[in-house]
Amino acid sequence: GSAWDSHHCFIVRYRENEDLGLDMHTDDSDVTFNICLGLDFTAAGLQFCGTVGAPDHRHHGYTYEHRKGHCVLHLGRKRHGADDIAS
């Protein structure tokens, strides 16, 4: 489309006794920004698979290691999830 039709925010707080990881999923969005804003932690790699409807949509394709202050932009229909934090 030529214009954004809406936007929404979803926040995951990777902390002990809160969110430790996020199962594989797709987002109900055209694009997704995954931004590492906060605390230092280990593990919690961002796992990517294929795009919904493609033959590889359930096959691991890439792991991104978060870095504070950096953003990853991807299609909302791209399967992704975050491993559990280690500390």
Side-chain angles (χ1 to χ4, degrees), residues 46-50 56 58-63:
L46 182 59
Q47 304 291 332
F48 287 98
C49 292
D56 67 345
R58 292 195 179 269
H59 297 284
H60 179 262
Y62 181 75
T63 300

Side-chain angles (χ1 to χ4, degrees), residues 26-51:
T26 59
D27 297 330
D28 186 22
S29 64
D30 293 323
V31 294
T32 295
F33 295 88
N34 281 286
I35 306 169
C36 182
L37 296 174
L39 306 173
D40 292 322
F41 55 87
T42 58
L46 182 59
Q47 304 291 332
F48 287 98
C49 292
T51 303

Side-chain angles (χ1 to χ4, degrees), residues 10-86:
F10 178 78
I11 297 173
V12 178
R13 291 171 47 123
Y14 294 113
R15 291 189 176 155
E16 256 185 285
N17 302 320
E18 290 189 37
D19 297 316
L20 298 179
L22 193 61
D23 291 338
M24 295 299 288
H25 65 281
T26 59
D27 297 330
D28 186 22
S29 64
D30 293 323
V31 294
T32 295
F33 295 88
N34 281 286
I35 306 169
C36 182
L37 296 174
L39 306 173
D40 292 322
F41 55 87
T42 58
L46 182 59
Q47 304 291 332
F48 287 98
C49 292
T51 303
V52 170
D56 67 345
H57 80 279
R58 292 195 179 269
H59 297 284
H60 179 262
Y62 181 75
T63 300
Y64 175 79
E65 297 298 329
H66 288 286
R67 294 188 318 171
K68 191 186 312 185
H70 290 249
C71 174
V72 176
L73 169 70
H74 61 87
L75 296 174
R77 63 184 179 271
K78 183 78 146 172
R79 283 180 47 86
H80 61 287
D83 297 332
D84 287 353
I85 63 170

